[in-house]
Amino acid sequence: MKQLMLILSLVIFLPLSSHAEDFLGAPVLPQGTVTTKTDARLEMKTGLSHDAVVAFYREALKDVKDIKFRDWKEATYIEDDGNSPWHSITVSKLGEKGTDIIIAKDNWTWIMGTLVLRFVGVFVVLMILLLGMALSGSIISRSVASMAAKKAAN
């Protein structure tokens, strides 16, 4: 009887994972209800727990490289740093109400914003280093001058 149940379970559930729907190449949870769908964004609600949804995405994306899972207080953020058409999957914790899932397309606004932020960040770091070097240079110059003046006085 147990073997029959196992075989029946495999026959039912394995085809679901192999024929899973996707959005921009990102897997879509089959048990979800789509609330909003555009060319760049898919929003879903599901009655499953947050941990079950994250486990689904960990399993579905286990062979994809350049994927980062970030666990935040109120959501789990799954980011693709590769060249997939999708950018992120956000799995929000709603508690007893279920879970929200948002799949977002990679866009130029985010790409350019990141590049500008890094560009500005490099120059901020260089300015801090320049100020630190100038400050230490003036301190060292004053101490060397005062030591030379003491040596000349003796």
Side-chain angles (χ1 to χ4, degrees):
M1 184 68 178
K2 289 182 182 180
Q3 290 176 344
L4 179 63
M5 292 300 287
L6 178 64
I7 291 171
L8 185 61
S9 298
L10 289 174
V11 168
I12 291 173
F13 292 114
L14 281 180
L16 289 177
S17 64
S18 64
H19 296 299
E21 187 180 340
D22 70 346
F23 177 73
L24 298 172
V28 174
L29 189 71
Q31 295 92 346
T33 305
V34 176
T35 56
T36 306
K37 185 174 183 179
T38 64
D39 291 341
R41 187 176 180 93
L42 174 74
E43 296 182 19
M44 299 174 54
K45 288 192 178 292
T46 182
L48 296 175
S49 70
H50 172 266
D51 294 336
V53 174
V54 171
F56 167 79
Y57 280 108
R58 283 193 191 277
E59 179 64 28
L61 299 171
K62 70 180 177 185
D63 295 330
V64 181
K65 63 179 188 171
D66 298 326
I67 299 292
K68 292 181 183 168
F69 284 80
R70 294 189 174 102
D71 292 319
W72 296 336
K73 182 179 179 183
E74 297 189 13
T76 297
Y77 187 72
I78 306 166
E79 184 176 25
D80 173 47
D81 289 337
N83 59 357
S84 298
W86 62 277
H87 169 67
S88 66
I89 301 171
T90 306
V91 181
S92 301
K93 300 175 186 176
L94 300 178
E96 299 295 323
K97 298 177 191 173
T99 307
D100 278 346
I101 304 164
I102 300 171
I103 302 174
K105 181 179 180 180
D106 211 358
N107 59 36
W108 282 103
T109 306
W110 181 85
I111 294 168
M112 294 308 291
T114 302
L115 290 174
V116 167
L117 184 64
R118 288 180 181 181
F119 183 77
V120 169
V122 165
F123 285 103
V124 167
V125 168
L126 289 175
M127 289 296 290
I128 291 170
L129 288 173
L130 177 67
L131 291 174
M133 288 173 53
L135 180 65
S136 68
S138 66
I139 292 171
I140 291 171
S141 296
R142 287 182 192 154
S143 65
V144 167
S146 67
M147 288 177 64
K150 284 181 184 178
K151 197 172 197 181
N154 288 337

